[in-house]
Amino acid sequence: MATIHMYSRTLLICFLLFLVLPGIIMLSVQEKEISEAEKRPLAELPVLDGSLESIQAFPDRFNTYFNDHFGLRDFFITLHNSAYTRLFNSSPNRNVIWGKDGWLYLASSGNFSDFLGQGITEHETIVRFGNELADRKKWLEQKNIRYLFVPVPNKIQIYPEYLPGHFTARAGVSMLNQLTRHADSRGAEIPLLDLVPTLEAAKQEEQVYYRSDTHWNYAGAYRGYSRIIHHLGNWFPEQRPLTRKQFATHRSKYPGDLASMLHLEKVIEEYDEYPTVQKPCHGKGFSRIVWPYGNEERGGETAAYLAECYNKPLTVFILQDSFGRHPSLFFAQQFGKTYVFPGSDFRDMVPWIEEIHPDLVIDLHVARNVPQALKSHRNVKKAVAKQLFKEAPHTIFNFSPGGSISQPVHPVNASLSPEGIVLAENNDPQLILSLPPLEAFKDLTVHISMSSPENSVAQIFYDNQQAPSFSEKHSHSFTIQKGKNHIYLRAPFPDTTTSIRFDPGNTAGTYTLSDFTIKGFQTEPTGKN
Amino acid sequence: MVFSSLLFLFLFLPLVLVGNYLLPFRLRNFFLLLTSLFFYTWGENVYVLLMLLSITVNYAYGRFIHGAPFPLKRFLLATGVAVNLLPLLYYKYFEFFCESLEDLISLPAKSYEIHLPIGISFFTFQAISYLVDIYRNVAKPQNSIINLGLYISLFPQLIAGPIVRYGHIARQLTDRKVNSDLFGKGVERFIIGLSKKVLLANPLGSMADTIFALPAEALTTPVAWLGISSYTLQIYFDFSGYSDMAIGLGKMLGFSFPENFNRPYTALSLRDFWTRWHISLSTWFRDYLYIPLGGNKRGPARTVRNLCLVFLLCGLWHGASWNFLLWGMLHGFFLSVERTYFGTWLQQRSYIIRRLYVVLVVMFCWVFFRAETLTEATDFTAALAGTALSSDIPAKVLLGLTPHFLFVFICAALLATMPTGQTTRNLSARVTSVSPRVFSLTARLLSLFLLLGATTSSLATGVYNPFIYFRF
């Protein structure tokens, strides 16, 4: 009995001590403001200002604050993750894959599903990406500006051999592979530089990505930079990449972002060779630029940095995500003016491009960010579609009052007169249009001239081989204004489409459809589109 | 605030325990009432007023019912139950009722956004049991509104049970003792419950959530089975873990709550299952609904009707959707079938067959409990039956199939389906009888703190929120 009492008392005391210790430490230790490991500011103690909002929000905010600051936080996290990885040889964080020999991989952001070939699987999405690149090239060409899109392969694609075996066995076709194959099939129309062969060859000689980080290391970044400059030789023959001899390197510890995600950045050690230029060019290193205009499409400011080499030619814009950080060190020594836009994409760049008129725009993003990087700028898309429409020699489909080519149009929830008057009975008027075969054409564009009773949203649905009936997934919508509208757009439907459904708006009323025309270019006989 | 949160563990709980034991006994109930109301307000804001209203109304009704003559007594009970059910009907079922009506008569859909106060199903049933027990003269009405308030709002069992009958706890409200042995038992139970929740239920739940979130076209048959198995284990360890924590906290505060689970997946029939699963709820329905309806005393047809009605309501109690209704009805159906020749046949089958029957039926029913919609449930069932639309393992599932998950799954499966408690108690007694008591108790202490350390570390990792890129 005495032993039981002793046990119970010991349990009681230890339990109470365990409960109060973190609170005591929290009160006695100075609060941290920033978590270096998590790369974010830690929550502040919430303040009650007497307002109802502050009272209602207080519990959640205090909870967040406590979770960020309770005593022994770092100790518990490191203990858990260290023990977990030692016991189970796997990652305690679902966003990180624990590979062989200390290699870590990002699992989230679609990275792993893309590796398995389960990411972007629809060919029409790849075609849309290709069209976006072609449109950017065309728009910039009119301003005498060169454009190059450089998707940097995800680490998992270059170093799959360190993944767990049952993952590697399930490797599929990644989005990047699909895009590069599609770009190859369209030739010079799509200005894409594939770095996969370069990095796969380079890894035989040296490590090109960090083990504990998502990014390429300086060796990999140099290889990428060098390949880009060689490619630019097609346009700017004087351009030569810097050689390795022009750099000195010094070795230092590198805390990988994936190791930080596991809070094991002090446990998993890695080193990198930081390069510094032995004889920098005569000019200025990167400094922040203040741009007076906001981000046109997305709102907010665009961050920009400028480096200059006074005795070198070319003004170059580099739109980049974090994968541009390492190669920007080399680019800064390469061009007369190097503007770097971290965290920006093409949509942010249009006013900058129109203001500064660079010689070249390099669009550099890691493969998992490509879908985000290839979002269109509304006005650029419209301008290119209008130009393509005007240039296209073949009219494939036409509906217009008194037009020479009449095609069957079947209205639903509406009536359609030969003069093009569409009387919508409810807020879902539909016009079903049967199309002739489209396989013999490319660069299909659509012109719609119509008037709308209200500001509304029009939509084009299309069938395809996998889905013969119309659905939201296979559709494209766009806003229309009350009154007259002239819409130019690249045909959102693939060349296997046999019919489309055009919803002129989502309000009842009277629409007037003056013109619905699809034009295109003949596909070349070699089969290259 | 949930028990398995750092705020509860390292701030609320120590303050409550220290405050409770520093205060003289006569002030403890008031202190616990205040802390329980604070606990509820922390999560539910102004809805604490609903709880205060429930306490006040039931206090008045309890006193009226006790003193009233018979016909009035029954009327007061009926109105008291109705008044208790009204908020539950509104907050939990009004939206469901309106949406079902809209579907039925093709009205345009409206959004109602009625907030469901947490624990309302539990404290409503506790309040109803208080009134019914007074009506039946099983218990006397509580003279102190503070004590009644404490019974209704006591934080250990407020949000997830067990449903405590007033008669069970009435004396403890005014006369309870705690010594280090009882407190120690409470700590053990709390740590075990917390470990079940954090170390077993959470990883299993993560896999179940991933799989149930997959679109139908991404489901494969093995993945569907993995999903429902994970969910079957998750719901048991989550719910029983929470009950263990509630019972453990109760012990630490001097209260003894009833057991709520008794190895339900070792049941040999559905009937047996319901004597082991959420015991406080099933006995509540038995005593306050099934038996008053006649139970099984009025012939087989009435028995079937009573079973189906009780389980239909049991399903609805769990959630306001057709899925829960169907889940309840399925259980009612199988319980009814077991009262036919099938039940006799089942009793003659081997132990393995009977265990397998229960586990498969319960797993099948859990599909409807877990799925968000009927369509999702039928697609999932089709995948279980082998008519899945896909053959690829989705990336998210593959990522979750780590050695850790497999370890947790196997441990959970073994623990959930282990032989009865008697066998393990015999085993434990044998171990402690051959090894020195100090040694076994030391090992027990270390094991408990190993579990506590592991759960706390896991909770801490759950609030570690890193980004790849700097967020300033």
Side-chain angles (χ1 to χ4, degrees):
Chain A
M1 280 301 280
T3 320
I4 298 279
H5 288 321
M6 175 90 88
Y7 163 79
S8 300
R9 276 186 207 126
T10 310
L11 180 60
L12 187 157
I13 291 166
C14 290
F15 183 66
L16 285 174
L17 272 174
F18 186 89
L19 293 184
V20 302
L21 196 60
I24 292 170
I25 292 174
M26 183 177 170
L27 289 170
S28 40
V29 166
Q30 194 178 357
E31 243 174 53
K32 281 199 290 187
E33 287 180 3
I34 292 163
S35 170
E36 288 295 332
E38 292 166 270
K39 295 184 170 61
R40 65 176 179 90
L42 295 172
E44 289 175 5
L45 182 64
V47 170
L48 280 168
D49 60 17
S51 68
L52 189 62
E53 190 271 336
S54 77
I55 294 171
Q56 283 178 328
F58 185 83
D60 284 342
R61 286 181 188 158
F62 187 84
N63 200 43
T64 306
Y65 165 78
F66 192 84
N67 287 342
D68 273 358
H69 294 281
F70 71 92
L72 301 174
R73 180 181 190 259
D74 286 344
F75 165 75
F76 279 124
I77 295 167
T78 310
L79 174 69
H80 176 272
N81 289 351
S82 296
Y84 190 110
T85 50
R86 268 178 234 270
L87 284 171
F88 300 110
N89 199 33
S90 57
S91 168
N93 185 327
R94 272 232 184 156
N95 294 319
V96 178
I97 299 171
W98 187 270
K100 301 172 196 165
D101 297 342
W103 280 78
L104 304 178
Y105 300 85
L106 183 69
S108 56
S109 305
N111 210 39
F112 184 59
S113 55
D114 180 63
F115 172 76
L116 297 180
Q118 295 176 7
I120 289 171
T121 53
E122 296 222 352
H123 183 63
E124 58 188 78
T125 307
I126 301 297
V127 170
R128 203 160 27 94
F129 288 165
N131 288 343
E132 174 60 27
L133 290 172
D135 286 353
R136 291 182 188 183
K137 181 184 175 222
K138 201 172 184 71
W139 184 75
L140 287 166
E141 253 171 9
Q142 287 167 349
K143 300 175 192 312
N144 214 24
I145 301 172
R146 295 283 186 181
Y147 175 72
L148 183 66
F149 187 74
V150 185
V152 181
N154 295 323
K155 175 173 139 183
I156 203 170
Q157 183 166 357
I158 301 298
Y159 284 99
E161 61 270 27
Y162 295 107
L163 285 168
H166 61 289
F167 287 177
T168 332
R170 289 183 158 82
V173 180
S174 68
M175 182 275 302
L176 181 60
N177 285 353
Q178 294 178 68
L179 183 60
T180 51
R181 278 184 215 164
H182 179 67
D184 284 342
S185 73
R186 288 170 70 169
E189 191 191 347
I190 298 185
L192 184 148
L193 178 63
D194 183 9
L195 290 183
V196 170
T198 304
L199 292 168
E200 281 182 342
K203 85 175 211 194
Q204 309 303 326
E205 298 167 26
E206 58 185 340
Q207 187 175 317
V208 292
Y209 281 75
Y210 294 107
R211 276 187 302 117
S212 63
D213 192 280
T214 49
H215 297 84
W216 52 8
N217 58 18
Y218 280 103
Y222 175 78
R223 297 278 188 157
Y225 146 81
S226 189
R227 181 69 189 90
I228 290 168
I229 301 302
H230 277 122
H231 184 83
L232 293 183
N234 297 323
W235 303 326
F236 309 104
E238 76 284 0
Q239 290 296 321
R240 297 275 184 276
L242 302 169
T243 64
R244 294 225 188 183
K245 287 180 190 163
Q246 289 174 272
F247 294 93
T249 57
H250 64 276
R251 195 170 141 86
S252 65
K253 255 193 216 179
Y254 184 85
D257 53 15
L258 294 170
S260 296
M261 283 174 85
L262 300 178
H263 208 0
L264 294 176
E265 63 282 3
K266 292 178 183 158
V267 174
I268 299 172
E269 282 190 346
E270 187 164 10
Y271 289 83
D272 196 6
E273 304 283 339
Y274 283 86
T276 47
V277 184
Q278 298 209 55
K279 284 184 189 164
C281 69
H282 172 56
K284 285 195 292 189
F286 280 114
S287 59
R288 178 131 192 193
I289 302 172
V290 175
W291 177 252
Y293 304 107
N295 181 308
E296 226 184 54
E297 284 270 318
R298 296 191 286 167
E301 275 192 0
T302 308
Y305 298 83
L306 169 64
E308 293 181 83
C309 287
Y310 300 137
N311 55 352
K312 295 204 175 177
L314 298 185
T315 298
V316 177
F317 276 14
I318 305 179
L319 321 182
Q320 61 182 50
D321 55 22
S322 60
F323 272 70
R325 199 161 46 221
H326 282 8
S328 63
L329 187 141
F330 311 117
F331 286 124
Q333 302 296 316
Q334 185 72 34
F335 304 114
K337 284 187 179 179
T338 308
Y339 288 83
V340 153
F341 301 90
S344 295
D345 63 42
F346 188 79
R347 292 173 297 167
D348 309 320
M349 285 304 103
V350 168
W352 288 83
I353 288 168
E354 287 175 330
E355 172 82 10
I356 294 176
H357 267 271
D359 298 298
L360 165 69
V361 173
I362 299 173
D363 211 343
L364 190 148
H365 303 269
V366 68
R368 66 175 177 274
N369 288 340
V370 161
Q372 176 66 24
L374 290 182
K375 287 190 190 266
S376 311
H377 188 284
R378 208 174 32 233
N379 293 344
V380 168
K381 207 171 146 103
K382 186 178 171 180
V384 172
K386 189 172 179 178
Q387 187 187 347
L388 280 174
F389 184 84
K390 288 194 165 121
E391 290 171 2
H394 300 284
T395 300
I396 296 152
F397 176 93
N398 171 250
F399 171 86
S400 56
S404 56
I405 301 171
S406 60
Q407 303 286 346
V409 176
H410 173 60
V412 175
N413 299 331
S415 62
L416 173 66
S417 73
E419 294 76 35
I421 309 287
V422 179
L423 278 171
E425 294 157 13
N426 57 26
N427 59 2
D428 189 21
Q430 303 167 13
L431 300 173
I432 314 293
L433 289 67
S434 299
L435 300 181
L438 301 173
E439 286 93 345
F441 302 97
K442 64 170 184 172
D443 285 336
L444 299 171
T445 45
V446 180
H447 172 246
I448 303 168
S449 177
M450 62 177 278
S451 67
S452 172
E454 298 293 339
N455 291 342
S456 188
V457 175
Q459 201 164 358
I460 297 176
F461 295 81
Y462 49 91
D463 60 17
N464 66 21
Q465 286 168 336
Q466 283 83 37
S469 57
F470 301 124
S471 67
E472 287 292 332
K473 193 178 167 187
H474 298 112
S475 74
H476 173 74
S477 56
F478 47 96
T479 53
I480 50 172
Q481 309 301 317
K482 183 177 176 179
K484 283 193 178 161
N485 293 265
H486 284 282
I487 314 288
Y488 290 92
L489 44 95
R490 268 199 188 258
F493 39 85
D495 58 10
T496 49
T497 298
T498 58
S499 63
I500 58 177
R501 185 185 110 189
F502 174 53
D503 293 7
N506 56 6
T507 55
T510 304
Y511 300 79
T512 307
L513 185 63
S514 314
D515 184 48
F516 191 109
T517 303
I518 302 172
K519 290 172 76 179
F521 297 79
Q522 193 92 42
T523 308
E524 284 163 18
T526 53
K528 260 199 174 183
N529 284 342
Chain B
M1 210 190 308
V2 293
F3 298 160
S4 57
S5 70
L6 296 159
L7 186 65
F8 178 85
L9 279 179
F10 294 135
L11 191 62
F12 183 83
L13 183 59
L15 288 174
V16 168
L17 290 176
V18 168
N20 187 58
Y21 287 104
L22 286 179
L23 285 171
F25 187 84
R26 60 188 164 79
L27 292 177
R28 283 184 189 175
N29 281 3
F30 183 62
F31 172 74
L32 286 177
L33 173 63
L34 282 182
T35 52
S36 298
L37 291 174
F38 177 81
F39 179 87
Y40 196 74
T41 311
W42 189 263
E44 292 300 308
N45 254 289
V46 296
Y47 292 97
V48 71
L49 295 173
L50 186 67
M51 176 164 291
L52 289 170
L53 189 65
S54 172
I55 293 167
T56 312
V57 163
N58 284 293
Y59 177 76
Y61 260 100
R63 297 188 75 80
F64 292 151
I65 289 171
H66 181 66
F70 182 68
L72 181 61
K73 199 176 180 113
R74 187 176 243 188
F75 173 76
L76 286 170
L77 175 68
T79 54
V81 169
V83 164
N84 272 292
L85 286 175
L86 269 173
L88 182 66
L89 288 172
Y90 173 72
Y91 286 106
K92 195 161 184 174
Y93 300 108
F94 181 73
E95 195 171 330
F96 169 58
F97 173 73
C98 291
E99 283 170 358
S100 303
L101 200 62
E102 280 162 11
D103 289 338
L104 198 64
I105 56 178
S106 304
L107 286 174
K110 262 173 75 177
S111 170
Y112 297 91
E113 292 182 19
I114 299 174
H115 173 76
L116 178 63
I118 199 166
I120 190 172
S121 304
F122 288 95
F123 70 74
T124 299
F125 270 36
Q126 282 202 180
I128 291 173
S129 84
Y130 171 69
L131 296 181
V132 174
D133 283 356
I134 290 171
Y135 172 82
R136 289 178 178 174
N137 290 323
V138 170
K140 287 198 166 38
Q142 181 54 246
N143 288 326
S144 160
I145 194 169
I146 288 172
N147 289 352
L148 181 65
L150 184 61
Y151 162 65
I152 288 175
S153 69
L154 188 57
F155 74 87
Q157 37 81 22
L158 172 62
I159 53 176
I163 299 171
V164 180
R165 309 279 185 93
Y166 179 70
H168 182 97
I169 207 173
R171 225 174 78 171
Q172 297 177 59
L173 288 168
T174 49
D175 179 20
R176 60 183 183 273
K177 290 195 171 37
V178 184
N179 53 40
S180 58
D181 290 344
L182 284 172
F183 192 99
K185 283 192 165 73
V187 170
E188 284 189 347
R189 198 70 187 265
F190 179 80
I191 292 174
I192 288 169
L194 185 65
S195 305
K196 278 160 103 173
K197 165 86 179 110
V198 174
L199 300 179
L200 296 178
N202 284 358
L204 291 163
S206 182
M207 179 61 83
D209 289 347
T210 299
I211 293 173
F212 273 89
L214 292 172
E217 56 270 17
L219 272 177
T220 69
T221 297
V223 165
W225 276 102
L226 176 63
I228 194 57
S229 307
S230 299
Y231 183 70
T232 300
L233 293 168
Q234 176 210 353
I235 192 172
Y236 169 59
F237 285 105
D238 197 289
F239 206 170
S240 68
Y242 225 85
S243 293
D244 287 340
M245 284 192 271
I247 292 167
L249 287 168
K251 280 192 176 14
M252 285 188 238
L253 298 172
F255 292 98
S256 165
F257 295 149
E259 292 295 329
N260 215 13
F261 290 85
N262 180 18
R263 299 178 192 281
Y265 294 142
T266 63
L268 298 175
S269 65
L270 255 283
R271 199 168 168 180
D272 185 21
F273 176 81
W274 280 102
T275 65
R276 296 166 176 271
W277 179 275
H278 203 173
I279 299 167
S280 63
L281 179 74
S282 58
T283 52
W284 194 100
F285 272 110
R286 181 195 65 198
D287 295 341
Y288 297 111
L289 193 59
Y290 182 68
I291 290 174
L293 284 173
N296 60 1
K297 304 284 186 230
R298 296 196 189 165
R302 276 273 178 96
T303 304
V304 167
R305 181 204 72 171
N306 293 342
L307 278 171
C308 289
L309 182 63
V310 165
F311 275 89
L312 190 137
L313 291 174
C314 181
L316 267 183
W317 181 90
H318 282 87
S321 81
W322 292 106
N323 273 30
F324 287 110
L325 226 135
L326 194 52
W327 171 81
M329 283 177 65
L330 281 169
H331 273 273
F333 169 76
F334 280 102
L335 282 164
S336 304
V337 163
E338 280 183 10
R339 291 187 183 255
T340 65
Y341 292 117
F342 174 76
T344 317
W345 176 85
L346 184 67
Q347 279 182 347
Q348 292 160 357
R349 301 282 69 79
S350 69
Y351 175 78
I352 301 284
I353 298 284
R354 292 159 78 187
R355 289 275 308 263
L356 210 54
Y357 153 77
V358 172
V359 166
L360 288 174
V361 166
V362 167
M363 280 173 75
F364 167 68
C365 294
W366 282 141
V367 173
F368 296 89
F369 196 87
R370 175 59 182 81
E372 297 283 336
T373 62
L374 277 178
T375 309
E376 201 182 297
T378 45
D379 287 340
F380 204 93
T381 312
L384 288 172
T387 58
L389 299 173
S390 174
S391 54
D392 271 337
I393 301 182
K396 285 180 184 174
V397 175
L398 200 56
L399 277 172
L401 284 173
T402 58
H404 170 250
F405 173 79
L406 294 173
F407 173 75
V408 164
F409 188 92
I410 291 168
C411 285
L414 286 173
L415 286 168
T417 56
M418 257 167 71
T420 62
Q422 191 57 47
T423 311
T424 49
R425 279 195 284 274
N426 289 346
L427 188 66
S428 172
R430 203 179 283 182
V431 165
T432 49
S433 71
V434 298
S435 56
R437 177 153 278 195
V438 171
F439 175 78
S440 65
L441 288 174
T442 307
R444 196 156 141 181
L445 189 70
L446 288 173
S447 304
L448 283 169
F449 278 91
L450 196 65
L451 283 175
L452 190 59
T455 55
T456 310
S457 304
S458 185
L459 289 172
T461 311
V463 302
Y464 181 66
N465 189 14
F467 295 95
I468 302 176
Y469 315 119
F470 274 94
R471 300 277 181 108
F472 292 96

